[in-house]
């Protein structure tokens, strides 16, 4: 694979980052994942807008323009012959010598890394046909989940807990309400109504969430943006999650309780079709 590191395109074995880099030492870094379908970037602008916001919120600077980001993404997709998959992008605060809690002086260059991940047949994930099963775990993450940082330890532990329990993913619960999935935004469906947590610092503002809700409105579905509980989810007709790499994924079980008839729901399936079809049309 050819990867991008600080202005250079290199074989992955040659891309080296300092042991003093704050991304490595302190998790002082933000990231984005942009999906690739049919060799085209999906929701590129949305991901770059969120990246700029994450950088701003953490007072990080990185002087790469939108046009340059696009050129790097496209070049990596082309060089690596990616048809379906994604582009991972990470910006760290760089380093200025020894470990120090204080930010390095202004002008310290950020470390910028991008690489592609090929996932042939991404849009035909068999999990979407059977639906996935989730467990709930307490949300022990920090309170700025709206910033897409690389501090993913609790998300990683939650996925391991789900795996150990023989399930597919975990939903985070805080103060009795579901915040989001370990790496996705989640939704429950009652009749023609979709319920999903409102945007705040408690959850990541999913790019897929924004588009799927817009498409749902256009499909005359009702949307209620508010927190919901595990009990309410277990009593719902269906549930699903959204993320850039999984699109719309039906959920058929929450903490051991089957939803509806235990198979992917009508609304979830329809939204998945609409989202994938639309994405193929508007990819750049
Ligand atoms: N929440 C969390 C915690 C995530 O990690 C992700 C995936 N990056 C999402 C939500 C979904 O965001 P998006 O639709 O932009 O991929």
């Amino acid at each position: 694979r050819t990867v991008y590191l600080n202005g250079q395109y290199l074989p992955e074995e040659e891309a080296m980052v300092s042991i003093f880099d704050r991304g490595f030492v302190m998790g002082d870094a933000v990231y984005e994942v942009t999906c690739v379908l049919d060799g085209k970037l999906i929701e590129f602008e949305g991901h770059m807008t969120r990246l700029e916001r994450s950088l701003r919120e953490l007072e990080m600077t990185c002087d790469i323009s939108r046009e340059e980001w696009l050129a790097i993404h496209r070049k990596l997709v082309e060089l690596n012959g990616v048809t379906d998959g994604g582009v991972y992008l990470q910006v760290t605060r760089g380093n200025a010598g020894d470990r120090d809690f204080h930010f390095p002086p202004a002008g310290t260059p950020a470390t910028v890394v991008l690489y592609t991940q090929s996932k042939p047949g991404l849009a035909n994930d068999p999990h979407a046909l059977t639906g996935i099963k989730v467990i709930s775990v307490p949300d022990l993450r920090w309170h700025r989940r709206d910033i897409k940082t690389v501090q993913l330890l609790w998300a990683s532990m939650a996925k391991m807990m789900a795996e150990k329990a023989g399930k597919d993913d975990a939903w985070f619960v805080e103060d009795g309400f579901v915040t989001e999935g370990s790496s996705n935004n989640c939704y429950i469906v009652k009749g023609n109504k979709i319920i999903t947590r409102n945007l705040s610092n408690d959850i990541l503002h999913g790019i897929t969430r924004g588009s799927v809700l817009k498409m749902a409105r256009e499909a005359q579905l009702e949307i209620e943006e508010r927190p919901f509980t595990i009990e309410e989810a277990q009593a719902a007709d269906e549930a699903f999650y959204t993320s850039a790499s999984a699109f719309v994924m039906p959920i058929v079980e929450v903490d051991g309780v089957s939803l509806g008839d235990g198979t992917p729901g009508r609304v979830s399936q329809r939204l998945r079709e609409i989202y994938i079809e639309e994405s193929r049309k508007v990819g750049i």
Side-chain angles (χ1 to χ4, degrees), residues 53-54 56-58 141-149 151 180 200-205:
R53 178 177 182 277
S54 294
R56 210 165 46 238
E57 290 294 317
L58 297 178
R141 299 172 302 162
W142 80 329
H143 289 265
R144 288 305 306 274
R145 301 156 193 158
D146 56 309
I147 307 173
K148 200 163 168 63
T149 77
Q151 304 186 2
E180 59 188 331
S200 70
N201 291 353
D202 297 335
I203 62 169
L204 187 74
H205 302 190

Side-chain angles (χ1 to χ4, degrees), residues 31-33 43 46-47 50 141 145 148-149 152 155 172 180-187 203-210 241-247 275:
Y31 76 108
E32 281 297 331
V33 180
E43 314 244 33
H47 288 287
R50 186 170 64 190
R141 299 172 302 162
R145 301 156 193 158
K148 200 163 168 63
T149 77
L152 296 171
F172 292 133
E180 59 188 331
S182 65
S183 60
N184 45 65
N185 292 114
C186 43
Y187 311 72
I203 62 169
L204 187 74
H205 302 190
I207 304 305
T208 320
R209 177 188 183 281
Y241 75 62
T242 64
S243 76
S245 47
F247 316 116
Y275 182 78

Side-chain angles (χ1 to χ4, degrees), residues 32-90:
E32 281 297 331
V33 180
T34 302
C35 177
V36 176
L37 269 186
D38 308 328
K40 289 190 185 140
L41 298 160
I42 308 305
E43 314 244 33
F44 175 79
E45 295 295 334
H47 288 287
M48 293 307 107
T49 300
R50 186 170 64 190
L51 171 69
E52 286 161 8
R53 178 177 182 277
S54 294
L55 290 168
R56 210 165 46 238
E57 290 294 317
L58 297 178
E59 297 169 44
M60 278 171 72
T61 47
C62 172
D63 51 13
I64 296 181
S65 68
R66 276 288 168 107
E67 293 70 33
E68 288 170 305
W69 282 127
L70 180 59
I72 299 167
H73 278 75
R74 283 187 164 154
K75 186 155 178 181
L76 285 177
V77 168
E78 191 189 309
L79 285 174
N80 294 295
V82 181
T83 306
D84 293 340
V87 181
Y88 177 80
L89 177 171
Q90 179 173 334

Side-chain angles (χ1 to χ4, degrees), residues 36 53 115 130 184 229 251:
V36 176
R53 178 177 182 277
Y115 56 85
T130 52
N184 45 65
T229 63
I251 295 170

